[in-house]
């Protein structure tokens, strides 16, 4: 996959540094976001409404993606070892190596939709192919991180020992809620290519857009993770502040709002154009 059109860069005149000024306890809010969904999913799986468990698991996985994303970019306000600790812990809960994801995600930012973007290469696939490719996606990311990341990243991919230990613990417990949690997370890993990459980049190859960006109620329901274009332009802005960043970009950057492509027109809140940026 090669994107011959240069990807848009962050506009220099936009004021964004103040968006990084968050309370010191902000990381506690981010850490707490997945917990209600985790507890709710396990309780649901163990009860008569077990069929609602996957909904809670979906939002747990989504919140974990957001939290892991913030740790990758150092947006939690923690020391770097704290970010790594968060990624290790989430790896066990999500049944996959988040440090392998981190390595490939940083390359995704460095060479978006380019030859070295192993995370984003599925953006050019049709939807049905992305679903078929899904189970292989985390395998490819782990292999690339192991082969290219060097000794530092290989040590960080100790994640898999934690994943194995947590998985064995859940399965050995005999608790239905924990066993189904493991199964749900494995399914989530297989769907990551679609929900975390494809829907925010599909159709942008050759346009110069850094990604798609949603507005309105669906953006809120997605925990602001659909402000993907804004994130690519300013990765050091915390996810919780991306809506404000989007408002500033729409208002202050000529042509920015007109060039936007939404993740989906459903509940977008504003009309997005299909025109590439100038």
């Amino acid at each position: 996959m090669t994107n011959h059109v240069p990807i848009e860069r962050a506009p220099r005149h936009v004021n964004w540094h103040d968006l990084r000024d968050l309370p010191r306890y902000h990381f506690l809010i981010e850490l707490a976001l997945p917990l209600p969904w985790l507890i709710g999913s396990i309780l649901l799986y163990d009860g008569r409404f077990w069929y609602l468990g996957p909904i809670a698991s979906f939002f747990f996985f989504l919140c974990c993606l957001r939290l892991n994303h913030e740790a990758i970019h150092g947006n939690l306000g923690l020391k770097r070892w704290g970010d790594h600790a968060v990624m290790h812990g989430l790896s066990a809960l999500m049944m996959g190596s988040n440090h392998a994801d981190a390595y490939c995600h940083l390359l995704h930012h460095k060479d978006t939709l380019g030859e070295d973007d192993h995370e984003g290469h599925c953006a050019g696939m049709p939807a049905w192919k992305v679903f078929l490719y899904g189970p292989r996606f985390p395998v490819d990311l782990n292999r690339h991180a192991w082969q290219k990341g060097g000794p530092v990243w290989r040590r960080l991919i100790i994640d898999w020992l934690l994943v194995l230990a947590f998985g064995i613990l859940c399965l050995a417990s005999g608790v239905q809620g924990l066993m189904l949690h493991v199964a749900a997370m494995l399914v989530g890993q297989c769907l990551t290519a679609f929900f975390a990459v494809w829907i925010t980049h599909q159709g942008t190859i050759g346009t110069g857009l850094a990604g798609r960006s949603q507005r309105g109620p669906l953006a809120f329901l997605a925990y602001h993770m659909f402000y993907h274009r804004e994130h690519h332009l300013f990765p050091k802005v915390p996810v919780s502040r991306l809506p404000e960043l989007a408002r500033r970009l729409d208002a202050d950057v000529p042509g920015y709002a007109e060039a936007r492509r939404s993740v989906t027109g459903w509940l977008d809140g504003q009309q997005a154009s299909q025109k590439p940026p100038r």
Side-chain angles (χ1 to χ4, degrees):
M1 176 189 60
T2 302
N3 188 2
H4 296 291
V5 178
I7 298 295
E8 60 183 335
R9 300 297 180 182
R12 294 185 177 182
H13 66 280
V14 174
N15 179 26
W16 64 275
H17 290 86
D18 63 306
L19 298 177
R20 298 203 67 199
D21 297 332
L22 296 171
R24 294 187 63 182
Y25 59 80
H26 171 74
F27 76 95
L28 295 175
I29 298 175
E30 294 291 334
L31 288 174
L33 284 179
L35 294 181
W37 297 111
L38 175 62
I39 296 170
S41 65
I42 293 174
L43 293 176
L44 285 168
Y45 285 136
D46 262 334
R48 59 184 297 188
F49 298 107
W50 59 268
Y51 49 86
L52 296 178
I55 299 175
S57 289
F58 175 86
F59 281 102
F60 169 72
F61 201 88
L62 173 64
C63 289
C64 286
L65 286 176
R66 167 172 161 157
L67 178 57
N68 187 67
H69 198 254
E70 295 290 71
I72 290 173
H73 291 287
N75 290 340
L76 291 174
L78 301 173
K79 300 291 186 181
R80 197 54 182 159
W81 66 264
D83 292 328
H84 288 303
V86 169
M87 285 187 271
H88 283 313
L90 290 175
S91 294
L93 292 173
M94 298 173 71
M95 300 302 294
S97 174
N98 281 323
H99 278 95
D101 294 346
Y103 176 78
C104 293
H105 185 69
L106 293 174
L107 288 179
H108 172 62
H109 275 267
K110 184 178 181 180
D111 186 30
T112 304
L113 304 181
E115 291 294 336
D116 204 31
D117 184 4
H118 288 259
E119 177 182 303
H121 78 275
C122 63
M125 299 179 181
W128 65 267
K129 192 172 183 179
V130 179
F131 279 110
L132 293 179
Y133 171 68
R136 180 181 161 185
F137 178 69
V139 176
D140 285 351
L141 295 189
N142 275 270
R143 181 171 61 239
H144 184 69
W146 184 265
Q147 292 175 347
K148 303 295 184 179
V152 173
W153 284 98
R154 288 179 184 175
R155 286 195 295 270
L156 290 171
I157 301 177
I158 191 178
D159 290 339
W160 282 108
L161 295 179
L162 300 174
V163 171
L164 182 62
F166 181 70
I168 291 174
L169 179 65
C170 289
L171 297 178
S173 71
V175 177
Q176 178 172 289
L178 292 175
M179 293 188 290
L180 290 177
H181 168 76
V182 170
M185 293 302 100
L186 292 176
V187 172
Q189 292 290 340
C190 294
L191 295 176
T192 301
F194 180 83
F195 285 106
V197 181
W198 186 82
I199 60 176
T200 54
H201 283 288
Q202 59 90 16
T204 63
I205 297 176
T207 68
L209 288 173
R212 289 180 175 268
S213 183
Q214 191 77 12
R215 303 286 189 271
L218 186 59
F220 176 79
L221 290 174
Y223 283 86
H224 304 325
M225 291 293 285
F226 282 169
Y227 287 91
H228 201 67
R229 183 187 181 192
E230 290 75 25
H231 164 67
H232 265 274
L233 295 177
F234 297 93
K236 285 298 183 180
V237 173
V239 174
S240 63
R241 295 295 182 86
L242 289 180
E244 173 57 28
L245 174 64
R247 284 190 286 271
R248 295 183 186 184
L249 290 169
D250 286 346
D252 299 337
V253 179
Y256 184 86
E258 291 77 10
R260 181 176 68 88
R261 294 191 180 187
S262 60
V263 173
T264 173
W266 184 63
L267 296 180
D268 181 60
Q270 298 177 20
Q271 183 65 38
S273 172
Q274 296 303 308
K275 299 178 180 179
R278 296 177 181 177

